[in-house]
């Protein structure tokens, strides 16, 4: 999606810098319950074009970087049933293992049980999602496909 943003991408940059700074600062100042303070296993379902999938294949046993916010969950679930019916898309189920070391800066924010109690229909719809957001420029080693 970011590749197709074109000229509007520049407008996003002015928003993202202060947003990410504030988010990192908030997690650092509120480590409990928002930062990664223990080992975590996270899960993510994505559908991607074959060309993007091949970039994972050629980087097997190498380190890659996710350059945008990445939504994950602590709930292991089956692959979602998407309405996209395109044989060029590949379903990829990611298992992300985070090994905590004392003194590490949290690479994301734990949202799962921290959404608050709201009457807002959007929040109530997704309150059991158990979401964990990984910050941009988080590095991963691809161990297995």
């Amino acid at each position: 999606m970011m590749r197709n943003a074109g000229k509007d991408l520049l407008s996003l940059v002015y928003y993202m810098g202060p947003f990410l700074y504030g988010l990192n600062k908030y997690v650092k100042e509120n480590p409990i319950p928002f930062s990664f303070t223990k080992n975590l296993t996270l899960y993510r379902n994505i559908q991607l074009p074959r060309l993007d999938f091949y970039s994972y294949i050629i980087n097997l046993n190498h380190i890659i970087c996710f350059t945008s916010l990445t939504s994950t969950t602590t709930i292991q679930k089956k692959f979602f049933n998407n309405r996209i019916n395109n044989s060029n898309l590949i379903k990829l189920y990611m298992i992300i293992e985070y090994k905590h070391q004392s003194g590490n800066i949290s690479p994301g924010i734990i949202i799962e049980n921290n959404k608050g109690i709201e009457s807002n229909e959007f929040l109530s719809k997704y309150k059991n999602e158990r979401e964990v957001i990984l910050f941009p420029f988080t590095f991963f080693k691809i161990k297995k496909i």
Side-chain angles (χ1 to χ4, degrees), residues 75-134:
I75 300 172
Q76 184 175 8
K77 47 186 166 176
K78 293 182 180 182
F79 195 84
F80 59 87
N81 187 7
N82 199 325
R83 292 183 184 165
I84 297 173
N85 192 6
N86 185 336
S87 62
N88 291 326
L89 293 177
I90 294 174
K91 295 178 179 179
L92 186 62
Y93 181 68
M94 295 181 170
I95 301 171
I96 300 167
E97 296 176 356
Y98 172 75
K99 304 294 182 195
H100 180 69
Q101 292 182 0
S102 182
N104 279 4
I105 296 172
S106 184
I109 183 169
I110 299 171
I111 305 292
E112 60 181 21
N113 296 320
N114 303 314
K115 290 183 179 177
I117 299 169
E118 297 277 342
S119 60
N120 183 319
E121 190 175 313
F122 177 79
L123 287 178
S124 63
K125 182 178 178 185
Y126 296 103
K127 68 182 176 187
N128 294 322
E129 187 177 356
R130 300 189 59 187
E131 186 173 20
V132 176
I133 304 287
L134 298 173

